[in-house]
Amino acid sequence: MNSKFIAIVGAAVLTLGIGTAVYAAEVAPSTFKDMIPFMKEMHPNLSDSDLEQMYNNCHGNSNSQGMMQNNSMMPTVNSGSIYN
């Protein structure tokens, strides 16, 4: 009985997890044009070309490897860490 319960709960969690991922992939904006309103809301002081460069850097559409690989949009700040 205990193993059946665990199997049912595991199947439900797996099904909900896969369903959520599929739903997110279907609803998520996938192009730069779709993302412009959201990006302008989060970064109102950036120009359209800056936003497009940020989008390309985050999505690997340029020479970068994807998100956080090319820090051209992020200023370099000395944090005072002993590891710098």
Side-chain angles (χ1 to χ4, degrees):
M1 166 109 171
N2 194 15
S3 62
K4 285 183 182 180
F5 177 74
I6 291 173
I8 291 171
V9 169
V13 168
L14 185 62
T15 302
L16 291 174
I18 291 172
T20 302
V22 169
Y23 177 74
E26 289 291 323
V27 208
S30 57
T31 66
F32 174 67
K33 284 185 176 184
D34 294 336
M35 289 296 295
I36 288 176
F38 303 109
M39 293 178 76
K40 284 190 175 191
E41 185 178 335
M42 295 303 294
H43 308 283
N45 58 338
L46 294 179
S47 68
D48 286 350
S49 62
D50 289 338
L51 292 172
E52 187 171 8
Q53 181 182 4
M54 180 188 297
Y55 177 86
N56 289 334
N57 286 342
C58 291
H59 291 269
N61 295 337
S62 63
N63 293 331
S64 69
Q65 300 293 321
M67 185 176 246
M68 304 303 285
Q69 295 297 319
N70 183 352
N71 293 328
S72 63
M73 293 299 294
M74 301 180 80
T76 305
V77 177
N78 185 359
S79 62
S81 171
I82 61 173
Y83 297 106
N84 286 347

